[in-house]
Amino acid sequence: MQPEDLVRDHTIYACVMGSRAFGLATDTSDTDRRGVFLAPTALFWRFDKPPTHVEGPGEERFSWELERFCLLALRGNPNVLECLHSPLVEQLDDTGRELLSLRGAFLSRQVHDTFGGYALGQRRKLEADVRTTGAPRWKHAMHLLRLLMSSRDLLRTGELRIDVGDRREFLLEVRRGEVPWPEVEACMARLAAEAEEALRGTPLPAEPDHARVAGFLHRVRRASALRTAAAEGFRETGSAA
């Protein structure tokens, strides 16, 4: 089975991400698609294992195999957690619905480190741009501010919302380079400090619910194996007849 066939035939959840999901799309915005596929359990019984992720089919599409997706989400990966909370769902089956019902199980206080660590890395890149060219990549600055806002609000409320809502106009002004870099820097520093403060009173648990997610993965792997066994049994019976 080719990697792209896994996406075409076994996707359990697919959504639109990027600016369109964040409420920051403009006329020139791409449509970034992300998804999760469930590789048939029988494929893991071979030396050549199924891929953990697949790019395509088509441009701007990326999908994770369910187990890899769950591992990244349990580690607090910002891209994966935001994928689970996209308001623009394009494909969803029963397994995908159960995955979405587990969104809260993946969230914990470790998002302070994962979101914050990613934000710090991006900020250093922006600062390097300013030193070398005199200006940051404004689109990246906009998305970094959005991420910092999302992280702070997640720590405050225990809920991850990725649509920027009424912050849209300010963020688009940043993207157009209409907000001076020192003001953008000050906003980033304030958001980081507010996230630190939110961490002290956050309703998020210390750790994600590993057992709940593991139970889900075990059930879907077992169900996939049983479907394969039933199909093979049917073919054998048909051949004998």
Side-chain angles (χ1 to χ4, degrees), residues 76-119:
N77 181 285
N79 291 325
V80 169
L81 290 178
E82 288 188 335
C83 180
L84 273 175
H85 292 78
S86 173
L88 303 177
V89 177
E90 293 192 322
Q91 188 174 344
L92 190 67
D93 67 5
D94 289 342
T95 305
R97 289 186 185 89
E98 188 172 359
L99 174 65
L100 292 188
S101 75
L102 291 172
R103 284 185 292 201
F106 294 106
L107 298 177
S108 72
R109 294 174 195 169
Q110 70 182 8
V111 299
H112 175 263
D113 294 330
T114 55
F115 278 64
Y118 181 80

Side-chain angles (χ1 to χ4, degrees), residues 135-143 174-177 179-181 184:
R137 290 168 292 177
W138 290 110
K139 180 179 178 181
H140 290 196
M142 174 193 72
H143 281 298
V174 172
R175 177 174 180 166
R176 293 192 296 265
V179 181
W181 174 242
V184 173

Side-chain angles (χ1 to χ4, degrees), residues 42 78 132 230:
T132 56

Side-chain angles (χ1 to χ4, degrees), residues 154-222:
L154 170 57
L155 289 164
R156 282 177 173 175
T157 67
E159 296 181 3
L160 180 57
R161 296 181 181 179
I162 66 174
D163 189 292
V164 300
D166 60 8
R167 302 157 180 162
R168 171 182 164 85
E169 289 308 316
F170 168 70
L171 290 171
L172 289 179
E173 288 174 1
V174 172
R175 177 174 180 166
R176 293 192 296 265
E178 296 172 0
V179 181
W181 174 242
E183 185 177 334
V184 173
E185 276 192 307
C187 185
M188 290 176 180
R190 184 180 70 253
L191 289 167
E194 290 173 350
E196 288 287 344
E197 181 181 356
L199 177 63
R200 290 192 286 271
T202 184
L204 291 173
E207 298 288 338
D209 194 339
H210 289 268
R212 188 177 172 199
V213 176
F216 161 68
L217 185 61
H218 179 269
R219 287 195 305 276
V220 297
R221 287 276 192 251
R222 182 175 186 274

